[in-house]
Amino acid sequence: MRETVNLPTRFVVLAEPSESLIVMDTKSTPSVIWFDAVEISELEKNSFTSKPDEWDTYADYFKVFLEEEEEERGL
């Protein structure tokens, strides 16, 4: 993917959910960004058409998903 879309090395792809992309920016905040995959060219400029989901840290991002999992499991 890095070569196909010329993804700068400061971004690490965490996941590719259906028609979207979750990346971690290793050099700025917010550090985790979940956006529509067709807007990959807007990533470095952070000028998305649709506002992406963003978290300041990987821990914040991960916490949300842990809480959702616990809620689904009734914990």
Side-chain angles (χ1 to χ4, degrees):
M1 172 172 292
R2 187 167 307 283
E3 292 176 13
T4 303
V5 297
N6 201 23
L7 185 66
T9 57
R10 72 182 236 213
F11 295 105
V12 177
V13 175
L14 300 176
E16 294 181 65
S18 180
E19 300 181 15
S20 61
L21 200 59
I22 303 172
V23 299
M24 182 170 60
D25 186 342
T26 61
K27 297 196 181 201
S28 73
T29 302
S31 64
V32 178
I33 307 164
W34 188 343
F35 60 96
D36 188 347
V38 297
E39 296 196 82
I40 187 74
S41 63
E42 304 303 319
L43 178 60
E44 197 162 18
K45 296 179 281 184
N46 197 13
S47 60
F48 301 102
T49 303
S50 302
K51 182 168 175 25
D53 292 328
E54 300 173 325
W55 297 268
D56 287 340
T57 66
Y58 182 79
D60 292 341
Y61 160 77
F62 196 70
K63 180 180 176 188
V64 168
F65 288 95
L66 284 178
E67 290 170 352
E68 288 177 1
E69 177 70 20
E70 289 174 352
E71 186 177 302
E72 289 176 10
R73 296 174 83 197
L75 301 175

